[in-house]
């Protein structure tokens, strides 16, 4: 059975007071990602106490990339351990 390709849908999301119209074939996933991004941006804005949206966004992205890199290292170590067995 072949899986039908989903048609992209237009979704409106809001992050840090800004509204964005995006197209996606997985609206629920995009909404989840946007909500988590919004939460993290707001959390960062409280830490840096700055009104510079670009600075807040850049620091948030750096924090998320640090977390991603750590998860990637953990995953690679796990795969290596499994391959040794």
């Amino acid at each position: 059975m072949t899986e039908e390709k989903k048609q992209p849908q237009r979704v409106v999301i809001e992050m840090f007071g800004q509204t964005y119209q995006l197209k996606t074939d997985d609206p629920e996933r995009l909404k989840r990602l946007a909500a988590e991004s919004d939460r993290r941006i707001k959390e960062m804005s409280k830490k840096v106490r700055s009104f510079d949206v670009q600075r807040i966004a850049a620091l948030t992205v750096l924090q998320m990339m640090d977390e991603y890199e750590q998860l990637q290292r953990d995953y690679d170590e796990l795969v290596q351990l499994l391959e040794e067995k």
Side-chain angles (χ1 to χ4, degrees):
M1 232 165 110
T2 8
E3 202 174 301
E4 283 188 41
K5 185 173 179 174
K6 295 179 183 177
Q7 290 293 341
Q9 299 175 30
R10 189 174 306 273
V11 177
V12 177
I13 60 168
E14 186 176 317
M15 293 188 311
F16 206 55
Q18 297 291 312
T19 302
Y20 302 91
Q21 285 190 21
L22 304 171
K23 285 187 179 180
T24 180
D25 60 356
D26 193 349
E28 293 309 311
R29 180 173 181 264
L30 180 59
K31 289 175 185 177
R32 269 193 330 275
L33 293 173
E36 178 62 15
S37 298
D38 184 54
R39 184 191 69 76
R40 288 172 175 248
I41 291 167
K42 288 175 180 174
E43 185 178 290
M44 182 62 71
S45 72
K46 291 176 186 174
K47 290 179 184 175
V48 297
R49 299 188 187 277
S50 171
F51 294 108
D52 183 358
V53 177
Q54 288 179 320
R55 178 181 169 88
I56 294 167
L59 291 171
T60 303
V61 168
L62 285 172
Q63 181 181 35
M64 292 171 77
M65 289 307 300
D66 181 55
E67 292 171 12
Y68 171 80
E69 207 172 70
Q70 182 60 51
L71 285 170
Q72 187 66 51
R73 281 192 302 268
D74 293 347
Y75 172 80
D76 291 343
E77 282 180 28
L78 182 58
V79 167
Q80 188 175 13
L81 286 171
L82 290 171
E83 288 174 350
E84 290 174 2
K85 288 189 173 189

